[in-house]
Amino acid sequence: MSFSTNQFLLDGKVAVVTGAGGRGNSIGRAYALGLANAGAAVVLADIDADGAEAVSEEIVSAGGKAVAAGVDITQPDSVSQMVRAATEAFGGIDILVNNAALMVELTQGATAVDIPIEEWNRIMNVNVTGALNCVQAVVPVMRKRGGGKIVNQVSGGAFPAISIYGISKLALVGLTTTLARQLGREKINVNAIAPGNVMSDAGRQLTPDGSPFVKFLEATVAMRVRGAPGELVGALLLLCSPAGEWITGQVLHVDGGWVLRP
């Protein structure tokens, strides 16, 4: 089959993006806008229902299709309600972007030796189990539609994992490859995006100019150290569109050459 740039279009597709509201200039917002611009109807899912509604209104005012859904991804019943809302609004789900996660909310510098188990469980419950809750609720709908795309948001900080956050994202990499193997014959692609140092509002809060982490990146990253949320959208569209039909079980690093892998 010959290639056409039309293969990046998502007309008629329905996408759910978790963590799509709140924090202003966020990766979730950039993903939602990018999917809508490519033609998808987008469900903005976030525990911050007002934030999700704001991004939904932004898409609709620009001529796109979107609805907001308040959801707590750690609660299967809440996730099921989100899936029902998406199905009622747009007839089904073709794309799931597991973007919601705890990052800026974490106790910075907590070590594995000293972290309270309650805090550990909270991180894993959101960053790993929350993604699985969404997958378990969405996959039956994708099966009815003959396939789908799942994209999990991991992190350059998982390669290698040297923080609790990094551990949670490395676990999500494992979930990605496992799901890719188990769902591939059902035409459900499962991949991950590993961003580098993104200048979202949360990213600026965690790694301000002159911080030790930024100085470390300046000494190691092959190209530009920092990127904007919108610079992740091209990778997302590849993994969510027919252009990426033969890609599954992969982690796509978008980080200016921070993590260099063969």
Side-chain angles (χ1 to χ4, degrees):
M1 181 177 67
S2 60
F3 175 77
S4 166
T5 55
N6 289 336
Q7 289 175 256
F8 286 97
L9 299 178
L10 296 172
D11 296 332
K13 300 298 183 182
V14 180
V16 172
V17 182
T18 67
R23 297 209 191 105
N25 181 33
S26 68
I27 294 174
R29 172 182 171 274
Y31 280 165
L33 294 178
L35 291 166
N37 287 338
V42 185
V43 178
L44 291 301
D46 203 295
I47 197 167
D48 177 1
D50 291 339
E53 184 62 40
V55 180
S56 176
E57 290 175 359
E58 188 177 357
I59 291 172
V60 172
S61 66
K65 297 179 180 179
V67 295
V71 62
D72 180 349
I73 62 170
T74 69
Q75 301 300 318
D77 288 346
S78 181
V79 174
S80 294
Q81 291 173 11
M82 175 196 72
V83 171
R84 284 195 294 271
T87 302
E88 290 171 2
F90 299 124
I93 298 170
D94 303 288
I95 298 163
L96 169 64
V97 183
N98 278 316
N99 170 71
L102 294 178
M103 183 178 70
V104 71
E105 301 87 351
L106 304 182
T107 302
Q108 301 306 311
T111 67
V113 172
D114 298 320
I115 188 172
I117 291 300
E118 294 79 9
E119 176 76 357
W120 169 277
N121 289 340
R122 183 172 77 101
I123 295 167
M124 298 302 166
N125 202 24
V126 174
N127 292 9
V128 186
T129 307
L132 180 59
N133 285 337
C134 293
V135 168
Q136 290 184 340
V138 166
V139 163
V141 181
M142 289 182 171
R143 284 171 171 155
K144 291 179 182 178
R145 291 167 78 86
K149 314 283 188 181
I150 299 171
V151 179
N152 295 322
Q153 183 89 319
V154 296
S155 172
F159 302 92
I162 56 173
S163 68
I164 306 302
Y165 175 75
I167 293 171
S168 73
K169 290 301 185 176
L170 189 57
L172 189 54
V173 171
L175 180 61
T176 299
T177 55
T178 297
L179 291 170
R181 177 60 60 85
Q182 294 175 352
L183 298 174
R185 297 301 174 90
E186 298 183 75
K187 298 182 179 180
I188 298 175
N189 303 62
V190 189
N191 293 288
I193 294 174
N197 191 223
V198 178
M199 286 296 90
S200 61
D201 288 354
R204 288 186 183 278
Q205 181 178 338
L206 280 176
T207 58
D209 293 341
S211 66
F213 181 68
V214 171
K215 290 184 180 300
F216 162 75
L217 291 179
E218 289 172 346
T220 57
V221 172
M223 296 179 69
R224 177 162 39 90
V225 171
R226 296 183 166 192
E231 293 183 276
L232 301 172
V233 173
L236 180 70
L237 295 183
L238 170 63
L239 297 179
C240 290
S241 69
E245 198 70 39
W246 206 35
I247 303 172
T248 198
Q250 304 304 308
V251 177
L252 185 52
H253 292 266
V254 187
D255 59 11
W258 171 21
V259 178
L260 302 175
R261 305 182 78 203

